[in-house]
Amino acid sequence: MSHEAMLAMLADAVARRVLRPLDLAFAQFIAESDPAADASLPWLAALASRQLGDGHPCLDLHALSLLAQEQAWPDAWLEQLSRAPTPVSRLVANAQGEPEHAPLVLDRHRLYLRRYWNYECRIAQGITARLDEAMLPASALHDELQRLFPATADAVHWPRVACALAARGAFSVITGGPGTGKTTTVVRLLGLLQTLQLRQHATPLRIRLAAPTGKAAARLNASIARQIALLDVQEHVRAAIPLQVETLHRLLGARPDSRRYAYDRRRPLHVDVLVIDEASMIDLEMMAAVLDALPPHARLILIGDKDQLASVEAGAVLGELGRHAEQGGYSHATAEWLRAASGDDVTAFVHDNAQPLDQHIAMLRSSHRFAAASGIGRLAAAVNLGDVTAVNALLASPSNDVAWMPAGVNATAAASWAIDGQADRFATSQAEDRPQGFRYYLDRLRQQRPPLDANDARHRRWAHGLLEAFNRFQVLSAVRRGPAGVERLNHDIAAALLAEGLIESDRGWYEGRPVMMTRNDYSLGLMNGDVGVTLRMRGNDGEHRLYVAFPVARGVSPGLPQDDDASVRFVLPSRLGDVETVYAMTVHKSQGSEFEHTALVLPDDAPAILTRELLYTGITRARRWLSLIGTQAAIEQALAQRTRRYSGLGERLVTSFDGGA
C-alpha cells in the first residue's frame, strides 16, 4: 500500500471518529519525513498517537489484535495489521534511543513517541537509584516503632510495617483503600524521622508535603493538622513537621504556557523528604518532573490507592508500582529485617522471586472509615474484586448507607434522568439526618448570612462554613456529555433549584453558584480542580457584589482585607475565565475528594467508559452515604472491564534480585 492510500484510509478513520485529526497530522508528518519507509509506519504512528490520547504511553505491537477487537477497527485496518512489519526507518530509534532525534522509539515490542519514552526511562532511573539506599538500620527503629504503634493482636500491623519500610529506604509507596490510615501512618513516619534526626543533629529534616490537585492538597492539609495534634512526640519534633500542603505544580514552580518547571535537575528542590498524597493521579510527565527535581539524597514517599482510576493523562504510575502490593512480594531478607525492626511477621507475604521494588511497598488492609457492616465498605470491596454476585446481593439488600436506584440513563430511554425525578430530588430534598441535596448549603447561605455591618472575619467564617456545607454532598458522573453527563446534570439541577426559588438564576453568575477551575491560573494561585462558591459580599469600597469564595490554607484575597489566618480566598467572577458549574462533576475530577453523601450516576449508553476502577473510585468518594443511579447492566459492564494502560514502566523496574534486603 502506498503512503497516499494509507493516509486516505487514515483520513476516513478520522471522518468516522476512530482517529483524531491530531493523529492524522502526525501520520502525515511521518510519511513526508521518510517517503521510503513502509506504508505501515504512518499507520503505526497514528495508532501510537491515538493510544497516547487514551492514556497509553505507547503502542504495544503484541496487543494490536486485542486492540483491534476492543476498538472495532475497520476491515482495511485488520488487513494491514496482518501485513505490518516491524517499523524500520531513520524516524524510529532503537531501545537505546539511537538515532537521538528520531521522533519514534521502538523499545522491544512497544512503539513510543520519544517524549513519553524519555519519561518512562527517567522515572525508572530515578526510582531504581533509590532502591539500594538503606537509610536506617533495624536497631535504630525498633523502640520508636513500638512506641508510635502500640502492640496489637494482629500478626502483621501493616501501618507499622509501612513506616518501617519507608524509614529504611529512600523510596517507598504506602497504598491502601479509603480509611485504612494512610495519612495517620505518614504523620507517624514523619514524627519518627524527625525524632531520629533531632537526636543527632541540630537542624531538622526539610520536609515538603504535596498533592496533585488543590482539592487533594486541602484535604491532606486538614488531615495532617489533626494527626499532628495527636502525635506522641516531643513538642520540638511536632513543630518540625510541616502543616502546609502544596500542589505539585506549585512545589515544582510551574511556568505558565510551558512544560518546564523552575526546579529540575539543574536546580533541585531544597528538600530531604518529599511526601506526595493521592499518587494515583500522577501521570508519567509529572512523575518524571518530580524525580528530576529531587536531590539524590532525598526520600520520596508516595501515598495513594492503587485501585483508583489512573491519571487523566498518559500512564498509570502508582498502579504499576503497586501491582504486587496485595501479595507482598517480600524477600526472606526483608522479612528478617522487618522482624527485627518492627516485630512483625510477614512470612506469609514472602516470595522466592522477590523484586527490589516490592521491598519498598506496603499495603494497608484494614479500613477504619467503614465498619464491618458498612454497605459502602462491603460494596467497594466487592467491586474491587469484580464479584458480580456479591455486588448484586449488596445492592438488592436494605442498607442504611447505600441506596440503589436502577434508573435507565440513556438517550433512547422513555424518560431522562431529570424527568425520572432524580435531579429534583437531589437538587431540593433534605433528609433530617443527612445532606441529600443542594438545599442543604443554600438554606445555610440565606439563614446564616452575617449582617451588612459584620466585620470581615465573620464574613470569612460564614464563607468557610458554606464551602464545607457544599462539599458534604456531590453528584458524580462517569461522563461529561449525554443524558447522564455532567453538562446535562448541571443544567437540570440548576433548573430545579431555580424552580424551587433556592437560586435567583440558572445562567451566568448568581449567588450560590458552585464553580470548578478547569485550568491552572497562576496569577490567582488557583489550580485546575479547585472548587468555589459564589457569594454576595461587601468589598473594601462598601459596595456589595458577587465574589467567588475558594478554600485556601493561607493567602491574601483580592479586594477584601485579610489576615494571616485567612482560610478563604475571594475572587471577582470577572477574573475567572476557565470555570464551570459543578453541582455535578466527573468521577475523574472527584479524585482527591470525599463527601459525606455521594450520588453516583452511571450511563448505560457509554460502555467503553465504564470500568471497575471508575466504579470503585466513585463509590469510595462517599464517606457516610452513597446513592447509586444506574441499571444493573451498566454496573455489570463496569465490573467486567478493568482499566489497562499499555506501558513498559513495570518491566523497566523489574531486575534480578540477589536475595539482599
Side-chain angles (χ1 to χ4, degrees):
M1 181 182 292
S2 67
H3 280 196
E4 292 74 15
M6 174 60 70
L7 293 174
M9 185 177 75
L10 296 178
D12 179 64
V14 172
R16 291 184 290 106
R17 299 188 178 182
V18 179
L19 290 178
R20 304 169 300 173
L22 176 64
D23 309 324
L24 175 60
F26 185 55
Q28 290 170 331
F29 164 76
I30 294 295
E32 292 168 2
S33 300
D34 189 359
D38 187 90
S40 65
L41 183 58
W43 177 61
L44 293 173
L47 295 187
S49 173
R50 184 68 185 91
Q51 286 289 89
L52 186 61
D54 287 338
H56 305 280
C58 64
L59 173 66
D60 191 322
L61 301 181
H62 287 177
L64 279 175
S65 297
L66 178 61
L67 290 171
Q69 296 171 11
E70 291 176 350
Q71 301 177 5
W73 287 352
D75 291 341
W77 288 38
L78 298 178
E79 180 183 352
Q80 183 66 27
L81 168 63
S82 65
R83 300 200 307 266
T86 300
V88 177
S89 167
R90 59 185 175 81
L91 303 180
V92 182
N94 59 25
Q96 287 71 47
E98 302 292 340
E100 183 178 349
H101 300 295
L104 294 165
V105 177
L106 181 63
D107 192 337
R108 285 167 283 189
H109 54 91
R110 298 182 179 94
L111 184 66
Y112 293 84
L113 276 67
R114 176 177 284 275
R115 183 151 55 90
Y116 287 86
W117 178 80
N118 281 333
Y119 292 151
E120 266 197 14
C121 292
R122 284 156 51 191
I123 292 170
Q125 292 165 3
I127 291 176
T128 301
R130 287 175 161 77
L131 295 185
D132 294 331
E133 289 290 324
M135 311 286 278
L136 292 171
S139 58
L141 300 174
H142 182 272
D143 291 346
E144 284 298 318
L145 285 172
Q146 297 306 314
R147 186 176 62 80
L148 289 169
F149 297 93
T152 66
D154 298 331
V156 182
H157 186 44
W158 287 107
R160 188 168 56 211
V161 168
C163 192
L165 292 177
R168 178 178 67 158
F171 175 78
S172 60
V173 174
I174 300 175
T175 187
T180 51
K182 296 186 291 293
T183 303
T184 302
T185 301
V186 169
V187 169
R188 293 184 185 183
L189 168 63
L190 298 181
L192 167 66
L193 295 177
Q194 288 290 33
T195 295
L196 298 176
Q197 170 76 7
L198 292 171
R199 281 179 183 171
Q200 299 182 10
H201 306 278
T203 304
L205 293 168
R206 297 168 298 180
I207 299 173
R208 302 285 289 273
L209 309 174
T213 66
K215 286 188 300 180
R219 191 163 71 88
L220 179 60
N221 201 93
S223 300
I224 288 281
R226 288 194 299 268
Q227 293 300 327
I228 290 177
L230 301 173
L231 190 59
D232 181 19
V233 295
Q234 295 181 354
E235 190 56 40
H236 71 290
V237 173
R238 182 179 289 107
I241 302 174
L243 289 169
Q244 189 73 22
V245 184
E246 307 166 271
T247 64
L248 287 173
H249 285 86
R250 191 184 302 278
L251 171 79
L252 297 176
R255 296 172 174 172
D257 303 317
S258 171
R259 291 183 179 274
R260 296 184 178 275
Y261 295 93
Y263 294 96
D264 54 21
R265 291 183 179 182
R266 292 169 295 180
R267 186 192 178 197
L269 292 163
H270 302 292
V271 62
D272 300 311
V273 180
L274 174 61
V275 177
I276 304 179
D277 194 21
E278 296 292 347
S280 64
M281 301 169 67
I282 305 176
D283 57 66
L284 273 183
E285 183 175 3
M286 177 57 76
M287 184 58 74
V290 167
L291 287 162
D292 283 350
L294 274 184
H297 74 276
R299 275 189 178 91
L300 176 60
I301 302 165
L302 303 180
I303 319 168
D305 186 345
K306 67 179 181 61
D307 296 313
Q308 279 190 188
L309 277 168
S311 57
V312 175
E313 302 299 330
V317 177
L318 188 68
E320 293 199 64
L321 294 176
R323 57 184 179 172
H324 300 147
E326 192 84 38
Q327 296 79 25
Y330 300 123
S331 69
H332 292 281
T334 294
E336 288 303 314
W337 186 91
L338 281 170
R339 193 189 304 273
S342 68
D344 292 291
D345 182 4
V346 298
T347 304
F349 298 89
V350 167
H351 290 247
D352 290 335
N353 61 343
Q355 296 297 316
L357 176 63
D358 297 329
Q359 316 314 301
H360 298 256
I361 297 173
M363 180 173 176
L364 310 185
R365 299 158 193 268
S366 299
S367 177
H368 306 288
R369 179 187 302 176
F370 304 126
S374 161
I376 297 174
R378 288 184 295 156
L379 181 61
V383 166
N384 210 3
L385 294 172
D387 190 334
V388 176
T389 301
V391 168
N392 287 338
L394 286 166
L395 293 177
S397 61
S399 173
N400 290 329
D401 59 346
V402 175
W404 176 38
M405 303 166 197
V409 194
N410 61 52
T412 60
S416 74
W417 190 77
I419 297 171
D420 281 341
Q422 302 302 340
D424 288 347
R425 172 180 178 177
F426 287 125
T428 63
S429 66
Q430 178 58 53
E432 293 182 1
D433 63 338
R434 70 188 68 178
Q436 190 167 308
F438 296 109
R439 180 188 292 273
Y440 181 80
Y441 86 96
L442 291 169
D443 282 347
R444 280 154 180 74
L445 187 156
R446 296 189 305 273
Q447 296 166 3
Q448 298 177 3
R449 184 191 300 278
L452 294 179
D453 57 353
N455 61 27
D456 295 311
R458 187 167 174 184
H459 277 90
R460 286 196 301 277
R461 289 194 296 271
W462 170 61
H464 186 265
L466 286 175
L467 286 166
E468 289 189 332
F470 173 76
N471 282 320
R472 293 184 69 190
F473 174 78
Q474 184 66 55
V475 177
L476 304 180
S477 174
V479 293
R480 285 195 57 80
R481 296 178 177 85
V486 295
E487 294 177 357
R488 173 67 180 272
L489 297 178
N490 279 315
H491 174 274
D492 290 348
I493 291 170
L497 293 171
L498 179 64
E500 288 287 319
L502 293 172
I503 55 177
E504 60 199 29
S505 174
D506 61 354
R507 300 176 186 277
W509 289 101
Y510 53 87
E511 187 170 40
R513 181 192 178 193
V515 296
M516 179 169 60
M517 298 291 297
T518 57
R519 291 184 64 187
N520 296 337
D521 190 323
Y522 298 98
S523 65
L524 294 176
L526 295 172
M527 298 293 118
N528 185 3
D530 286 352
V531 172
V533 174
T534 310
L535 303 174
R536 188 166 282 108
M537 307 283 294
R538 178 169 55 87
N540 285 334
D541 57 3
E543 293 294 323
H544 282 75
R545 57 176 61 89
L546 293 176
Y547 290 89
V548 183
F550 289 93
V552 292
R554 186 181 296 273
V556 176
S557 301
L560 288 174
Q562 297 285 300
D563 62 23
D564 289 340
D565 296 323
S567 59
V568 178
R569 171 172 299 168
F570 296 99
V571 182
L572 287 167
S574 59
R575 300 191 65 189
L576 298 172
D578 298 296
V579 296
E580 62 185 18
T581 302
V582 70
Y583 297 112
M585 68 173 68
T586 63
V587 175
H588 269 103
K589 285 288 189 181
S590 74
Q591 290 191 92
S593 302
E594 63 179 21
F595 313 98
E596 285 199 37
H597 185 178
T598 297
L600 174 60
V601 185
L602 301 178
D604 54 5
D605 59 351
I609 298 295
L610 297 178
T611 65
R612 194 184 305 177
E613 290 81 2
L614 182 140
L615 183 56
Y616 171 82
T617 302
I619 289 169
T620 54
R621 298 313 88 202
R623 189 169 50 174
R624 298 181 64 186
W625 299 286
L626 170 72
S627 297
L628 181 60
I629 303 102
T631 62
Q632 184 172 358
I635 294 168
E636 292 185 358
Q637 168 66 39
L639 292 172
Q641 188 162 266
R642 299 219 67 164
T643 300
R644 180 176 182 182
R645 293 276 172 96
Y646 293 100
S647 166
L649 179 60
E651 283 189 18
R652 295 184 199 281
L653 290 167
V654 173
T655 58
S656 59
F657 192 60
D658 60 9

